[in-house]
Every structure is written in C-alpha cells, then in structure tokens.
Amino acid sequence: QVKLVESGGGSVQAGGSLRLSCAASGYVYSDHNLNCVGWFRQAPGKEREAVASIFTRANTTRYIDSVKGRFVLSRDSAENTVYLQMTNLQPEDAGMYYCALTPRGCNWQFLWDDGYRGPGTQVTVSS
C-alpha cells in the first residue's frame, strides 16, 4: 500500500523559511518511468492550487510564478523523499500543503485527481 506523509509545516513570520518533506512508503520509483511528485496548497476560503512539481527521472522542476525564486524542490532518492524548501515566506503562502505522487507524468490536474496524496501539513505565516 502506497502511503505519503508530509512533514515540516509550522508557524513562521513573514520572511521566514520552512522545509517541507514528502516521504513515500510502499512505492518503488524505479518500477515506473514517469514519476512526478507535486505540492499543492489550500488556504481557508480559497481554491486549492498547485505550487510545484518535480519529474523525478529528469529532475525537472516546475513552479507557479508566485513562488519562483523562493521555493525549491529537491529529492533524496535513497529516502524516497521529496523536499520543498520555502524561503521568504509571505502571508499569502499560508495554508495546508499536500504532496501528491503519480507514475503518469506531471499534469497537475491529473496528479491531484489520480495520484497518491498525503494528509497535509499546515503552514502559517504571520505578517
């Protein structure tokens, strides 16, 4: 059974940093060619949005414009873990952050709808 668990959320002041982790268990990356791990967030009263993704075979990353230059994805293949390093956090970055994993490429809608997902980790940013 595949299980994703996010961690690393917390409460910071604007300008602060957090590193989120997405650990996968029960999933063998090498069994698939089109693995994609993505991060999504949702703030109260707002729609969920995709934040970033990494196509693991090529280590290709993609970010939404609002986080470019502030968020960086990386992967520890030995630990089956993907990290989202977030710097210069702003109040608009606050929300519940979820990671998702699919073996079918980095279409963000598909990644959310059809991928494996974790329960989320909360990020709070105070101004």
Side-chain angles (χ1 to χ4, degrees), residues 46-91:
K46 294 187 178 180
E47 291 193 357
R48 181 190 66 248
E49 64 175 345
V51 175
S53 65
I54 180 167
F55 182 60
T56 62
R57 187 179 68 187
N59 265 349
T60 304
T61 54
R62 183 161 63 117
Y63 305 90
I64 56 173
D65 286 346
S66 62
V67 307
K68 284 180 182 176
R70 300 188 299 121
F71 289 15
V72 176
L73 275 168
S74 62
R75 179 181 168 230
D76 182 336
S77 58
E79 297 294 328
N80 260 16
T81 300
V82 169
Y83 301 99
L84 181 66
Q85 178 69 49
M86 308 187 295
T87 59
N88 192 21
L89 283 161
Q90 301 300 314

CSV table of all heavy atoms in Angstrom, one decimal, residues 46-91:
chain,number,residue,atom,x,y,z
A,46,LYS,N,-10.1,29.6,0.1
A,46,LYS,CA,-9.5,29.8,-1.3
A,46,LYS,C,-9.5,28.4,-2.0
A,46,LYS,O,-9.5,27.4,-1.3
A,46,LYS,CB,-8.1,30.3,-1.1
A,46,LYS,CG,-8.0,31.8,-0.6
A,46,LYS,CD,-6.6,32.3,-0.7
A,46,LYS,CE,-6.6,33.7,-0.2
A,46,LYS,NZ,-5.2,34.3,-0.3
A,47,GLU,N,-9.4,28.5,-3.3
A,47,GLU,CA,-9.3,27.3,-4.0
A,47,GLU,C,-7.9,26.7,-3.9
A,47,GLU,O,-6.9,27.4,-3.7
A,47,GLU,CB,-9.6,27.5,-5.5
A,47,GLU,CG,-11.0,27.9,-5.8
A,47,GLU,CD,-11.4,27.8,-7.2
A,47,GLU,OE1,-10.5,27.6,-8.1
A,47,GLU,OE2,-12.5,28.0,-7.6
A,48,ARG,N,-7.8,25.4,-4.0
A,48,ARG,CA,-6.6,24.7,-4.0
A,48,ARG,C,-5.8,25.1,-5.2
A,48,ARG,O,-6.3,25.3,-6.3
A,48,ARG,CB,-6.8,23.2,-4.0
A,48,ARG,CG,-5.6,22.3,-4.0
A,48,ARG,CD,-5.9,20.9,-4.2
A,48,ARG,NE,-6.4,20.7,-5.6
A,48,ARG,CZ,-7.6,20.3,-5.9
A,48,ARG,NH1,-8.5,20.2,-4.9
A,48,ARG,NH2,-8.0,20.2,-7.1
A,49,GLU,N,-4.5,25.2,-5.0
A,49,GLU,CA,-3.6,25.5,-6.2
A,49,GLU,C,-2.4,24.6,-6.2
A,49,GLU,O,-1.8,24.3,-5.1
A,49,GLU,CB,-3.2,27.0,-6.2
A,49,GLU,CG,-2.3,27.4,-5.1
A,49,GLU,CD,-1.9,28.9,-5.2
A,49,GLU,OE1,-2.0,29.4,-6.3
A,49,GLU,OE2,-1.4,29.4,-4.2
A,50,ALA,N,-1.9,24.3,-7.3
A,50,ALA,CA,-0.6,23.6,-7.5
A,50,ALA,C,0.5,24.6,-7.2
A,50,ALA,O,0.4,25.8,-7.6
A,50,ALA,CB,-0.5,23.0,-8.8
A,51,VAL,N,1.5,24.2,-6.6
A,51,VAL,CA,2.6,25.0,-6.3
A,51,VAL,C,3.9,24.7,-7.0
A,51,VAL,O,4.5,25.6,-7.6
A,51,VAL,CB,2.9,24.9,-4.7
A,51,VAL,CG1,4.2,25.8,-4.4
A,51,VAL,CG2,1.7,25.4,-3.9
A,52,ALA,N,4.2,23.4,-7.1
A,52,ALA,CA,5.4,23.0,-7.8
A,52,ALA,C,5.4,21.5,-8.0
A,52,ALA,O,4.6,20.8,-7.3
A,52,ALA,CB,6.6,23.3,-6.9
A,53,SER,N,6.2,21.1,-8.9
A,53,SER,CA,6.3,19.6,-9.1
A,53,SER,C,7.7,19.3,-9.6
A,53,SER,O,8.4,20.1,-10.2
A,53,SER,CB,5.3,19.1,-10.1
A,53,SER,OG,5.5,19.7,-11.4
A,54,ILE,N,8.1,18.0,-9.5
A,54,ILE,CA,9.3,17.5,-10.0
A,54,ILE,C,9.1,16.2,-10.7
A,54,ILE,O,8.4,15.3,-10.2
A,54,ILE,CB,10.4,17.3,-8.8
A,54,ILE,CG1,11.7,16.8,-9.3
A,54,ILE,CG2,9.8,16.4,-7.7
A,54,ILE,CD1,12.8,16.9,-8.3
A,55,PHE,N,9.6,16.2,-11.9
A,55,PHE,CA,9.6,15.0,-12.7
A,55,PHE,C,10.9,14.3,-12.4
A,55,PHE,O,12.0,14.7,-12.8
A,55,PHE,CB,9.5,15.4,-14.2
A,55,PHE,CG,9.5,14.2,-15.2
A,55,PHE,CD1,8.4,13.3,-15.1
A,55,PHE,CD2,10.4,14.0,-16.1
A,55,PHE,CE1,8.4,12.2,-16.0
A,55,PHE,CE2,10.4,13.0,-17.0
A,55,PHE,CZ,9.3,12.1,-17.0
A,56,THR,N,10.8,13.2,-11.7
A,56,THR,CA,11.9,12.7,-11.0
A,56,THR,C,13.0,12.0,-11.9
A,56,THR,O,14.2,12.1,-11.6
A,56,THR,CB,11.5,11.6,-9.9
A,56,THR,OG1,10.9,10.5,-10.5
A,56,THR,CG2,10.6,12.3,-8.9
A,57,ARG,N,12.5,11.5,-13.0
A,57,ARG,CA,13.5,10.8,-13.9
A,57,ARG,C,14.5,11.8,-14.4
A,57,ARG,O,15.7,11.5,-14.5
A,57,ARG,CB,12.8,10.2,-15.1
A,57,ARG,CG,13.7,9.3,-15.9
A,57,ARG,CD,12.9,8.7,-17.1
A,57,ARG,NE,12.5,9.7,-18.0
A,57,ARG,CZ,11.6,9.4,-19.0
A,57,ARG,NH1,11.2,8.2,-19.2
A,57,ARG,NH2,11.3,10.3,-19.9
A,58,ALA,N,14.1,13.1,-14.7
A,58,ALA,CA,15.0,14.1,-15.2
A,58,ALA,C,15.3,15.2,-14.2
A,58,ALA,O,16.0,16.1,-14.5
A,58,ALA,CB,14.4,14.7,-16.5
A,59,ASN,N,14.7,15.0,-13.0
A,59,ASN,CA,14.9,16.1,-12.0
A,59,ASN,C,14.4,17.4,-12.5
A,59,ASN,O,15.0,18.5,-12.2
A,59,ASN,CB,16.3,16.2,-11.5
A,59,ASN,CG,16.5,15.4,-10.2
A,59,ASN,OD1,15.6,14.9,-9.6
A,59,ASN,ND2,17.8,15.3,-9.9
A,60,THR,N,13.4,17.4,-13.4
A,60,THR,CA,12.9,18.6,-13.9
A,60,THR,C,11.8,19.2,-13.0
A,60,THR,O,10.9,18.5,-12.6
A,60,THR,CB,12.2,18.3,-15.3
A,60,THR,OG1,13.2,17.7,-16.1
A,60,THR,CG2,11.7,19.6,-15.9
A,61,THR,N,12.0,20.5,-12.7
A,61,THR,CA,11.0,21.1,-11.7
A,61,THR,C,10.2,22.2,-12.4
A,61,THR,O,10.6,22.7,-13.4
A,61,THR,CB,11.8,21.7,-10.6
A,61,THR,OG1,12.8,22.6,-11.1
A,61,THR,CG2,12.4,20.7,-9.7
A,62,ARG,N,9.1,22.4,-11.8
A,62,ARG,CA,8.2,23.5,-12.4
A,62,ARG,C,7.5,24.1,-11.2
A,62,ARG,O,7.2,23.5,-10.2
A,62,ARG,CB,7.1,22.9,-13.3
A,62,ARG,CG,6.2,23.9,-13.9
A,62,ARG,CD,5.5,23.3,-15.2
A,62,ARG,NE,4.7,22.1,-14.9
A,62,ARG,CZ,3.3,22.1,-15.1
A,62,ARG,NH1,2.7,23.2,-15.5
A,62,ARG,NH2,2.6,21.0,-14.8
A,63,TYR,N,7.4,25.5,-11.3
A,63,TYR,CA,6.8,26.2,-10.2
A,63,TYR,C,5.8,27.2,-10.7
A,63,TYR,O,5.9,27.7,-11.8
A,63,TYR,CB,7.9,27.0,-9.4
A,63,TYR,CG,9.1,26.2,-8.9
A,63,TYR,CD1,10.2,26.0,-9.7
A,63,TYR,CD2,9.1,25.7,-7.7
A,63,TYR,CE1,11.3,25.2,-9.3
A,63,TYR,CE2,10.1,24.9,-7.2
A,63,TYR,CZ,11.2,24.7,-8.0
A,63,TYR,OH,12.3,23.9,-7.6
A,64,ILE,N,4.9,27.5,-9.8
A,64,ILE,CA,4.0,28.7,-10.2
A,64,ILE,C,4.8,30.0,-10.0
A,64,ILE,O,5.7,30.0,-9.2
A,64,ILE,CB,2.7,28.7,-9.3
A,64,ILE,CG1,3.0,28.7,-7.8
A,64,ILE,CG2,1.8,27.5,-9.7
A,64,ILE,CD1,1.8,28.9,-7.0
A,65,ASP,N,4.3,31.0,-10.7
A,65,ASP,CA,5.1,32.2,-10.7
A,65,ASP,C,5.3,32.8,-9.4
A,65,ASP,O,6.4,33.4,-9.1
A,65,ASP,CB,4.4,33.2,-11.7
A,65,ASP,CG,4.5,32.9,-13.1
A,65,ASP,OD1,5.4,32.0,-13.5
A,65,ASP,OD2,3.8,33.5,-14.0
A,66,SER,N,4.3,32.7,-8.5
A,66,SER,CA,4.4,33.4,-7.2
A,66,SER,C,5.4,32.9,-6.3
A,66,SER,O,5.8,33.5,-5.3
A,66,SER,CB,3.0,33.4,-6.6
A,66,SER,OG,2.6,32.1,-6.3
A,67,VAL,N,5.9,31.7,-6.6
A,67,VAL,CA,6.9,31.1,-5.7
A,67,VAL,C,8.3,30.9,-6.3
A,67,VAL,O,9.3,30.5,-5.7
A,67,VAL,CB,6.5,29.7,-5.1
A,67,VAL,CG1,5.1,29.8,-4.5
A,67,VAL,CG2,6.5,28.6,-6.2
A,68,LYS,N,8.4,31.3,-7.6
A,68,LYS,CA,9.7,31.2,-8.3
A,68,LYS,C,10.7,32.0,-7.6
A,68,LYS,O,10.4,33.2,-7.3
A,68,LYS,CB,9.5,31.6,-9.8
A,68,LYS,CG,8.9,30.5,-10.6
A,68,LYS,CD,8.7,31.0,-12.1
A,68,LYS,CE,8.0,30.0,-12.9
A,68,LYS,NZ,7.8,30.4,-14.3
A,69,GLY,N,11.9,31.5,-7.4
A,69,GLY,CA,12.9,32.2,-6.7
A,69,GLY,C,12.9,32.1,-5.2
A,69,GLY,O,13.8,32.5,-4.5
A,70,ARG,N,11.8,31.6,-4.7
A,70,ARG,CA,11.6,31.4,-3.2
A,70,ARG,C,11.5,30.0,-2.8
A,70,ARG,O,11.9,29.6,-1.7
A,70,ARG,CB,10.4,32.2,-2.7
A,70,ARG,CG,10.4,33.7,-3.1
A,70,ARG,CD,9.3,34.4,-2.4
A,70,ARG,NE,8.0,34.0,-2.8
A,70,ARG,CZ,7.0,33.5,-2.0
A,70,ARG,NH1,7.3,33.3,-0.7
A,70,ARG,NH2,5.9,33.1,-2.5
A,71,PHE,N,10.9,29.2,-3.6
A,71,PHE,CA,10.7,27.7,-3.3
A,71,PHE,C,11.6,26.9,-4.2
A,71,PHE,O,11.7,27.2,-5.4
A,71,PHE,CB,9.3,27.3,-3.5
A,71,PHE,CG,8.3,27.9,-2.6
A,71,PHE,CD1,8.6,29.0,-1.7
A,71,PHE,CD2,7.0,27.4,-2.5
A,71,PHE,CE1,7.6,29.5,-0.8
A,71,PHE,CE2,6.0,27.9,-1.6
A,71,PHE,CZ,6.4,29.0,-0.8
A,72,VAL,N,12.2,25.9,-3.6
A,72,VAL,CA,13.0,25.0,-4.4
A,72,VAL,C,12.7,23.5,-4.0
A,72,VAL,O,12.6,23.1,-2.8
A,72,VAL,CB,14.5,25.2,-4.1
A,72,VAL,CG1,15.3,24.2,-4.8
A,72,VAL,CG2,14.9,26.6,-4.5
A,73,LEU,N,12.4,22.7,-5.0
A,73,LEU,CA,12.2,21.3,-4.9
A,73,LEU,C,13.5,20.5,-5.0
A,73,LEU,O,14.3,20.8,-5.8
A,73,LEU,CB,11.2,20.8,-5.9
A,73,LEU,CG,9.7,21.0,-5.7
A,73,LEU,CD1,9.0,20.7,-7.0
A,73,LEU,CD2,9.3,20.0,-4.6
A,74,SER,N,13.6,19.5,-4.2
A,74,SER,CA,14.7,18.6,-4.3
A,74,SER,C,14.3,17.2,-3.9
A,74,SER,O,13.2,17.0,-3.3
A,74,SER,CB,15.9,19.0,-3.5
A,74,SER,OG,15.6,19.0,-2.1
A,75,ARG,N,15.1,16.2,-4.2
A,75,ARG,CA,14.7,14.8,-4.0
A,75,ARG,C,15.8,14.0,-3.4
A,75,ARG,O,17.0,14.1,-3.9
A,75,ARG,CB,14.1,14.2,-5.2
A,75,ARG,CG,13.7,12.7,-5.0
A,75,ARG,CD,13.2,12.1,-6.3
A,75,ARG,NE,13.1,10.7,-6.2
A,75,ARG,CZ,13.6,9.8,-7.0
A,75,ARG,NH1,14.3,10.2,-8.0
A,75,ARG,NH2,13.5,8.5,-6.8
A,76,ASP,N,15.6,13.2,-2.4
A,76,ASP,CA,16.5,12.3,-1.9
A,76,ASP,C,16.0,10.9,-2.3
A,76,ASP,O,15.1,10.4,-1.7
A,76,ASP,CB,16.6,12.4,-0.4
A,76,ASP,CG,17.6,11.4,0.2
A,76,ASP,OD1,17.9,10.4,-0.4
A,76,ASP,OD2,18.1,11.7,1.3
A,77,SER,N,16.6,10.4,-3.4
A,77,SER,CA,16.1,9.1,-3.9
A,77,SER,C,16.3,7.9,-3.0
A,77,SER,O,15.5,7.0,-2.9
A,77,SER,CB,16.8,8.8,-5.3
A,77,SER,OG,18.2,8.7,-5.1
A,78,ALA,N,17.3,8.0,-2.2
A,78,ALA,CA,17.6,6.9,-1.3
A,78,ALA,C,16.5,6.8,-0.2
A,78,ALA,O,16.2,5.8,0.3
A,78,ALA,CB,19.0,7.1,-0.6
A,79,GLU,N,16.0,8.0,0.1
A,79,GLU,CA,15.0,8.0,1.2
A,79,GLU,C,13.6,8.1,0.7
A,79,GLU,O,12.6,8.2,1.4
A,79,GLU,CB,15.2,9.3,2.1
A,79,GLU,CG,16.6,9.2,2.8
A,79,GLU,CD,16.6,8.1,3.8
A,79,GLU,OE1,15.6,7.7,4.4
A,79,GLU,OE2,17.7,7.5,4.0
A,80,ASN,N,13.4,8.1,-0.7
A,80,ASN,CA,12.1,8.2,-1.2
A,80,ASN,C,11.4,9.4,-0.7
A,80,ASN,O,10.1,9.4,-0.4
A,80,ASN,CB,11.2,7.0,-0.9
A,80,ASN,CG,11.2,6.0,-2.1
A,80,ASN,OD1,12.0,6.1,-3.0
A,80,ASN,ND2,10.2,5.1,-2.0
A,81,THR,N,12.1,10.5,-0.6
A,81,THR,CA,11.5,11.8,0.0
A,81,THR,C,11.8,12.9,-1.0
A,81,THR,O,12.9,13.1,-1.5
A,81,THR,CB,12.2,12.0,1.3
A,81,THR,OG1,11.9,10.9,2.2
A,81,THR,CG2,11.6,13.3,1.9
A,82,VAL,N,10.8,13.7,-1.1
A,82,VAL,CA,10.9,15.0,-1.9
A,82,VAL,C,10.8,16.2,-0.9
A,82,VAL,O,9.9,16.1,0.0
A,82,VAL,CB,9.8,15.1,-2.9
A,82,VAL,CG1,9.8,16.5,-3.6
A,82,VAL,CG2,10.1,14.0,-4.0
A,83,TYR,N,11.6,17.1,-1.1
A,83,TYR,CA,11.6,18.3,-0.2
A,83,TYR,C,11.2,19.6,-0.9
A,83,TYR,O,11.5,19.7,-2.1
A,83,TYR,CB,13.0,18.5,0.4
A,83,TYR,CG,13.6,17.4,1.2
A,83,TYR,CD1,14.4,16.5,0.6
A,83,TYR,CD2,13.2,17.1,2.5
A,83,TYR,CE1,14.9,15.4,1.2
A,83,TYR,CE2,13.7,16.0,3.2
A,83,TYR,CZ,14.5,15.2,2.6
A,83,TYR,OH,15.0,14.1,3.2
A,84,LEU,N,10.5,20.4,-0.2
A,84,LEU,CA,10.1,21.7,-0.7
A,84,LEU,C,10.7,22.7,0.3
A,84,LEU,O,10.2,22.9,1.4
A,84,LEU,CB,8.6,21.9,-0.8
A,84,LEU,CG,8.1,23.2,-1.4
A,84,LEU,CD1,8.6,23.4,-2.9
A,84,LEU,CD2,6.6,23.4,-1.3
A,85,GLN,N,11.8,23.3,-0.2
A,85,GLN,CA,12.4,24.4,0.6
A,85,GLN,C,11.7,25.7,0.3
A,85,GLN,O,11.7,26.1,-0.8
A,85,GLN,CB,13.9,24.5,0.3
A,85,GLN,CG,14.6,25.6,1.1
A,85,GLN,CD,14.7,25.3,2.6
A,85,GLN,OE1,15.1,24.2,3.0
A,85,GLN,NE2,14.3,26.3,3.4
A,86,MET,N,11.2,26.3,1.3
A,86,MET,CA,10.4,27.6,1.1
A,86,MET,C,11.1,28.7,1.9
A,86,MET,O,11.4,28.6,3.1
A,86,MET,CB,9.0,27.4,1.6
A,86,MET,CG,8.3,26.2,1.1
A,86,MET,SD,6.5,26.1,1.5
A,86,MET,CE,6.7,25.9,3.3
A,87,THR,N,11.5,29.7,1.2
A,87,THR,CA,12.1,30.9,1.8
A,87,THR,C,11.3,32.1,1.6
A,87,THR,O,10.5,32.1,0.7
A,87,THR,CB,13.6,31.0,1.3
A,87,THR,OG1,13.5,31.2,-0.1
A,87,THR,CG2,14.4,29.8,1.6
A,88,ASN,N,11.7,33.2,2.3
A,88,ASN,CA,11.0,34.4,2.2
A,88,ASN,C,9.4,34.2,2.2
A,88,ASN,O,8.7,34.7,1.3
A,88,ASN,CB,11.4,35.2,1.0
A,88,ASN,CG,10.9,36.6,1.0
A,88,ASN,OD1,10.6,37.2,2.0
A,88,ASN,ND2,10.9,37.2,-0.2
A,89,LEU,N,9.0,33.4,3.1
A,89,LEU,CA,7.5,33.1,3.2
A,89,LEU,C,6.7,34.4,3.4
A,89,LEU,O,7.1,35.3,4.2
A,89,LEU,CB,7.3,32.1,4.2
A,89,LEU,CG,7.6,30.6,3.8
A,89,LEU,CD1,7.8,29.8,5.0
A,89,LEU,CD2,6.6,30.1,2.9
A,90,GLN,N,5.6,34.4,2.8
A,90,GLN,CA,4.7,35.6,2.9
A,90,GLN,C,3.3,35.1,3.4
A,90,GLN,O,3.0,33.9,3.2
A,90,GLN,CB,4.5,36.3,1.6
A,90,GLN,CG,5.9,36.8,1.0
A,90,GLN,CD,6.5,37.8,2.0
A,90,GLN,OE1,5.8,38.7,2.5
A,90,GLN,NE2,7.8,37.7,2.2
A,91,PRO,N,2.5,35.9,4.0
A,91,PRO,CA,1.2,35.5,4.4
A,91,PRO,C,0.4,34.8,3.4
A,91,PRO,O,-0.4,33.9,3.7
A,91,PRO,CB,0.5,36.8,4.9
A,91,PRO,CG,1.7,37.7,5.3
A,91,PRO,CD,2.8,37.3,4.4
